[in-house]
């Protein structure tokens, strides 16, 4: 029962003094902004996964040769990459583009 009364007194300080509550919240926000700018960039978590782009041209070949000799071996190697979510393979005449 004594803890409940003590908690009400702590809340009443902020209710009875709104300017004090505003100052305390501004100090907390400013302290967060200052410490955020002080952190090195390496300490932030990565938001997007890394991207790899492979582009190859096989002059004088048709699309089936490019698919068999270039795209298929690259795709086979990409299947073993850790933490890869997906990849896209675009094939055109004499060229393969893997994202």
């Amino acid at each position: 029962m004594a803890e409940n009364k003590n908690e009400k007194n702590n809340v009443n300080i902020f209710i009875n003094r709104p300017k004090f509550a505003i100052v305390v919240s501004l100090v907390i926000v400013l302290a967060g902004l200052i410490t955020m700018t002080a952190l090195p960039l390496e300490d932030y978590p990565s938001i997007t996964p890394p991207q790899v782009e492979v582009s190859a041209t096989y002059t004088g070949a048709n699309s089936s040769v490019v698919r068999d000799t270039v795209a298929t071996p690259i795709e086979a190697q990409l299947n073993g990459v850790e933490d890869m979510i997906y990849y896209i393979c675009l094939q055109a005449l004499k060229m393969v583009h893997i994202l």
Side-chain angles (χ1 to χ4, degrees), residues 35-69:
T35 56
M36 189 173 72
T37 59
L39 284 174
L41 191 60
E42 294 83 26
D43 289 346
Y44 291 112
S46 61
I47 296 172
T48 58
Q51 292 181 340
V52 176
E53 187 172 327
V54 178
S55 187
T57 305
Y58 196 144
T59 307
N62 60 20
S63 60
S64 64
V65 172
V66 172
R67 181 189 66 228
D68 296 338
T69 60

Side-chain angles (χ1 to χ4, degrees), residues 6-65:
N6 204 8
E7 289 176 11
K8 285 185 180 181
N9 286 339
N10 290 339
V11 172
N12 285 337
I13 291 172
F14 292 104
I15 292 173
N16 294 334
R17 299 179 181 149
K19 291 180 183 177
F20 178 69
I22 292 171
V23 169
V24 168
S25 63
L26 287 176
V27 167
I28 292 171
V29 169
L30 288 175
L33 290 174
I34 290 170
T35 56
M36 189 173 72
T37 59
L39 284 174
L41 191 60
E42 294 83 26
D43 289 346
Y44 291 112
S46 61
I47 296 172
T48 58
Q51 292 181 340
V52 176
E53 187 172 327
V54 178
S55 187
T57 305
Y58 196 144
T59 307
N62 60 20
S63 60
S64 64
V65 172

